Amino acid sequence: MRAEDSYTLAAETARTSYSRLVAILAARTRDVALAEDALAGAFQAALEHWPKSGVPTSPEAWLLTTARRTLIDGARHEAVRERVMPDLTMMTEEAHRLRDASEELFPDERLKLLFVCAHPAIAPSIHTALMLQSVLGLEATHIAKAFVVAPATMGQRLVRAKRKIKAAQIPFIIPEKDQLTPRITAVLEAIYVAFSTGWDEAFTEASKSAGLADEAIWLARLVVQLLPENAEAKGLLALMLYAQSRKSARRNQAAYIPLAEQDTSLWDRTLIAEAETALRAASTLSEPGRFQLEAAIQSAHISGLLQGSVNWPAIILLYERLIRTAPSIGAQVAQASAVAMAGRADDAARLLEGISEQAGTYQPYWAAIAYVERSRGNYEDARTAYARARELCTDPAVTEWLAGKLAELG
Amino acid sequence: MQYMLALYEDENVFMNLNEAEMGELMGAYNAYTTSLQEAGAFVAGEPLEPSATGAIIRNHNNTMQVQDGPFVEAKEHLGGFYLIDVPDLDAALDWAAQCPCASTGTVEVRPIWNIGD
Amino acid sequence: MQYMIVAAESEEDMAARKSTEPGAFEAYMGPWFKYSTEMQEAGVTLSGNALETPDTATCVRVRDGKRQVQDGPFADTKEQLGGYFIIDVPSFEATKEWAAKCPAAATGLVELRKVATLEEEK
């Protein structure tokens, strides 16, 4: 095994164990901050030792023992120690006793922790950050960079949210049936925010949120594993995998490459296959939803481009269903673009006209208008729209691409 | 775990109810209180007179100032409260949602502070 | 006559509750203990409670049969509901005196509200 492979394996195991233990400890004490405090040092130690010495037989037992030792040594953590020691001692003993048993050491509480992070009594704007920190162990500074806020601000928001979880006694439970769907939706939406943040920022500020898209996929795989009967979780996983499969083809050096012009040989076929499997499994559950529809649209684009002919009427129908299920300006603009691609530029123009009031500052709207007007031979309107899109664009590579389109029109 | 359910209502709507409507509302509150009691969740509850009958008192630098109430300049005002004892926030939110006030006004759910903690 | 003393506390007072600075909590809490003891000795208090800070609050509305849950307190004001007492006193004047003595009156404000007696309303 190469050195970086052993590091990757150790890091992956440590992260999985860490998140499981934070969830278990927090579920017992309803105190997420406390659970993190108790385990943070042990996690760091694992990342240091495991790549060299190998992953221990029972990673959980190792982490718990190390956490206990760290707490005993660290006089600074006196308050923490008093609060968490009884739990930690009991769990360490449990872990050692069961070390050689083949059954799972502890029940998986991570799903409960995900539901707590995306609880309706916690502001949706902090759901994603809370998940990234408590389930994945990401540091506040890293999360702050990804969300473009000051680290201190992000730290305060996270502390505040965790204080509320404890003070208001948000329960660590799987919600009852009548509440399950909206609660899962909140969890999935928070994961998707993490992915989109990583996706949007992947090239503009590579250092800032590097890996956030991968973290989101990791979380989605976890939810799919823990909630095998949920169709939308599989839909979300498929959607993100389709997008991620094209990561290497999205840019040539620094230049933006639109989907239709991408080198399909750069697409990751393993991820595409995993996405197809997830989407098929979702469809057998007969519970359609927003993420499955978006994944189906991605699937249609990808298979079309791989086969050399895109089925635009099918894509337009999928967009119609998506807009009925989860109306958004983004979906409406995308539908209009698909209509234009199908050769119906006049219909596309009418669709875009219909949303002009709401979409005035939405860059893709102006790019779509530009494309449609150029197709209809209205070069002056196309120029104006490209110029507006360029003004609104925040991604330098896309800005340059738009400038190129503008130049083509003379 | 105890929570205060603070009931914020539009007093104008309340005061413009006719006798039948008022009776209906009282009935709804009585039924709600009874179901809280039957569930063993009821600790206390008080309705308040309209905010205009109250006052705002400040005593900064030992100078007493009395003003007409209420202090929150909103369409909805504190119209009463319940104190409930339930296992966790989800249970408290369920009770809050069932309160007649939730359908027309806002119910704020606030944990009681155990000062020892 | 029953009145509700609604203590609306300043941001500084709310912060002092959770402060780790030595003495900050005691400086905040001292006057409250003194006040509640004084009221109890005078025999006016029927009940009272301190509330967790407003950032632990959650608002619930039901519109068109659908539950809306929102993080945070109802009122977006400088002073925030921090606790209450229900007192029984002979007159509104006496209530005002008790309100003025409330620690929240010194740094925030106190809202006095008459408790409704449902029989009277009929």
Side-chain angles (χ1 to χ4, degrees):
Chain A
M1 194 186 278
R2 288 180 304 148
E4 62 236 59
D5 286 342
S6 78
Y7 182 83
T8 310
L9 176 68
E12 182 71 10
T13 314
R15 188 168 69 176
T16 308
S17 303
Y18 170 87
S19 66
R20 278 165 46 81
L21 289 173
V22 166
I24 293 164
L25 265 180
R28 284 181 194 218
T29 58
R30 289 187 185 174
D31 193 332
V32 180
L34 183 64
E36 286 170 356
D37 278 354
L39 290 162
F43 181 61
Q44 288 304 319
L47 285 181
E48 224 169 274
H49 291 287
W50 295 1
K52 286 178 252 162
S53 58
V55 175
T57 333
S58 169
E60 270 105 1
W62 192 98
L63 283 169
L64 284 170
T65 310
T66 311
R68 197 162 67 146
R69 204 175 303 133
T70 317
L71 287 176
I72 292 167
D73 293 346
R76 283 185 304 128
H77 289 83
E78 198 165 348
V80 176
R81 197 168 78 200
E82 270 171 32
R83 280 148 74 201
V84 82
M85 269 312 261
D87 279 316
L88 208 52
T89 305
M90 197 262 285
M91 288 173 68
T92 314
E93 283 161 6
E94 215 171 274
H96 281 295
R97 194 163 48 77
L98 295 169
R99 179 189 299 235
D100 299 321
S102 56
E103 81 254 40
E104 211 172 60
L105 284 186
F106 299 107
D108 204 315
E109 303 280 19
R110 285 176 296 181
L111 188 57
K112 293 179 187 172
L113 183 55
L114 284 169
F115 278 119
V116 166
C117 292
H119 194 278
I122 300 287
S125 59
I126 196 78
H127 288 177
T128 306
L130 207 48
M131 271 181 195
L132 291 173
Q133 184 163 72
S134 47
V135 184
L136 293 171
L138 262 55
E139 284 179 27
T141 31
H142 185 115
I143 300 168
K145 276 182 192 160
F147 288 93
V148 205
V149 298
T153 311
M154 181 54 80
Q156 275 167 7
R157 285 184 200 162
L158 286 165
V159 165
R160 201 228 123 199
K162 285 180 221 168
R163 218 180 72 68
K164 176 163 184 182
I165 291 168
K166 182 163 182 267
Q169 291 281 294
I170 292 179
F172 281 67
I173 51 163
I174 311 290
E176 300 279 336
K177 254 213 171 84
D178 62 326
Q179 285 292 311
L180 196 57
T181 305
R183 295 289 306 276
I184 292 171
T185 304
V187 169
L188 298 180
E189 276 169 3
I191 294 174
Y192 194 45
V193 168
F195 182 82
S196 310
T197 308
W199 177 257
D200 289 344
E201 301 290 320
F203 296 97
T204 49
E205 296 276 356
S207 64
K208 280 189 179 172
S209 47
L212 215 52
D214 289 326
E215 304 286 0
I217 289 173
W218 192 88
L219 281 174
R221 285 200 183 105
L222 178 68
V223 177
V224 165
Q225 180 202 329
L226 298 174
L227 283 175
E229 297 303 310
N230 189 266
E232 275 293 85
K234 292 182 169 66
L236 172 64
L237 177 61
L239 170 62
M240 298 193 300
L241 289 169
Y242 280 128
Q244 193 72 348
S245 74
R246 307 193 308 267
K247 192 178 167 187
S248 314
R250 288 169 66 202
R251 294 286 193 277
N252 181 8
Q253 310 294 345
Y256 165 71
I257 313 287
L259 181 57
E261 293 163 27
Q262 286 175 10
D263 177 356
T264 56
S265 71
L266 294 173
W267 290 355
D268 185 328
R269 303 302 162 102
T270 318
L271 292 185
I272 293 172
E274 190 188 345
E276 292 291 342
T277 308
L279 187 57
R280 252 199 313 275
S283 67
T284 61
L285 294 165
S286 305
E287 268 177 31
R290 171 214 165 175
F291 290 124
Q292 291 168 76
L293 285 166
E294 287 193 50
I297 290 165
Q298 291 275 330
S299 172
H301 274 112
I302 284 189
S303 62
L305 287 165
L306 285 173
Q307 288 157 16
S309 115
V310 178
N311 185 346
W312 290 111
I315 290 175
I316 293 163
L317 278 175
L318 285 168
Y319 271 120
E320 271 170 21
R321 287 179 60 195
L322 177 63
I323 290 163
R324 271 203 306 273
T325 309
S328 74
I329 290 296
Q332 285 175 290
V333 170
Q335 185 199 28
S337 300
V339 169
M341 294 298 287
R344 291 159 47 203
D346 290 345
D347 290 340
R350 262 192 298 278
L351 284 171
L352 289 167
E353 178 62 37
I355 53 168
S356 58
E357 300 235 333
Q358 305 101 292
T361 58
Y362 184 58
Q363 178 247 309
Y365 167 77
W366 291 102
I369 289 199
Y371 178 82
V372 168
E373 293 309 330
R374 198 175 66 168
S375 312
R376 299 164 88 199
N378 300 332
Y379 296 115
E380 192 52 47
D381 289 347
R383 261 195 294 275
T384 314
Y386 271 132
R388 183 84 182 104
R390 195 182 55 174
E391 274 167 35
L392 292 166
C393 189
T394 53
D395 180 334
V398 178
T399 308
E400 197 158 315
W401 182 83
L402 288 166
K405 288 283 157 192
L406 196 51
E408 280 173 22
L409 289 169
Chain B
M1 178 80 189
Q2 290 197 354
Y3 297 86
M4 182 194 210
L5 307 185
L7 280 44
Y8 290 90
E9 284 276 18
D10 185 341
E11 293 176 345
N12 291 325
V13 173
F14 192 71
M15 286 193 281
N16 289 330
L17 294 181
N18 64 36
E19 203 169 319
E21 289 164 333
M22 185 61 106
E24 199 176 311
L25 187 66
M26 287 299 160
Y29 271 103
N30 285 339
Y32 178 66
T33 307
T34 307
S35 59
L36 273 170
Q37 284 164 336
E38 283 172 355
F42 182 87
V43 179
E46 301 288 355
L48 300 175
E49 297 283 359
S51 59
T53 65
I56 301 296
I57 316 279
R58 281 187 185 82
N59 196 12
H60 294 201
N61 307 313
N62 285 316
T63 315
M64 183 163 148
Q65 278 184 312
V66 183
Q67 239 182 291
D68 287 344
F71 92 93
V72 177
E73 286 176 27
K75 212 175 76 186
E76 295 165 330
H77 295 295
L78 186 64
F81 73 92
Y82 283 94
L83 192 62
I84 63 170
D85 194 347
V86 291
D88 55 40
L89 185 66
D90 282 0
L93 297 180
D94 285 343
W95 281 114
Q98 287 173 49
C99 181
C101 171
S103 302
T104 48
T106 303
V107 178
E108 179 178 329
V109 180
R110 189 87 79 86
I112 297 300
W113 183 29
N114 291 312
I115 294 160
D117 285 4
Chain C
M1 297 168 93
Q2 287 186 17
Y3 277 87
M4 183 175 186
I5 288 180
V6 182
E9 298 181 51
S10 67
E11 269 176 68
E12 292 74 21
D13 281 350
M14 288 292 185
R17 291 177 171 202
K18 306 291 169 191
S19 174
T20 49
E21 303 230 340
F25 177 77
E26 290 74 11
Y28 164 80
M29 215 52 232
W32 283 103
F33 281 132
K34 189 168 160 275
Y35 179 60
S36 60
T37 309
E38 193 183 341
M39 279 206 293
Q40 239 149 33
E41 281 169 358
V44 297
T45 323
L46 295 175
S47 66
N49 268 300
L51 304 179
E52 271 285 358
T53 46
D55 57 7
T56 65
T58 309
C59 282
V60 180
R61 294 177 189 86
V62 176
R63 298 290 183 269
D64 303 320
K66 273 199 163 164
R67 190 192 294 191
Q68 302 167 357
V69 177
Q70 213 181 340
D71 192 2
F74 168 76
D76 182 21
T77 45
K78 202 154 70 67
E79 291 88 6
Q80 283 281 348
L81 178 61
Y84 70 91
F85 293 94
I86 306 284
I87 61 169
D88 194 357
V89 284
S91 67
F92 190 42
E93 283 311 305
T95 314
K96 281 196 272 191
E97 276 170 37
W98 280 114
K101 285 184 185 176
C102 178
T107 50
L109 60 90
V110 168
E111 182 172 345
L112 273 183
R113 295 289 300 277
K114 194 171 187 295
V115 173
T117 38
L118 297 176
E119 285 76 15
E120 278 177 8
E121 278 181 5
K122 280 178 186 168

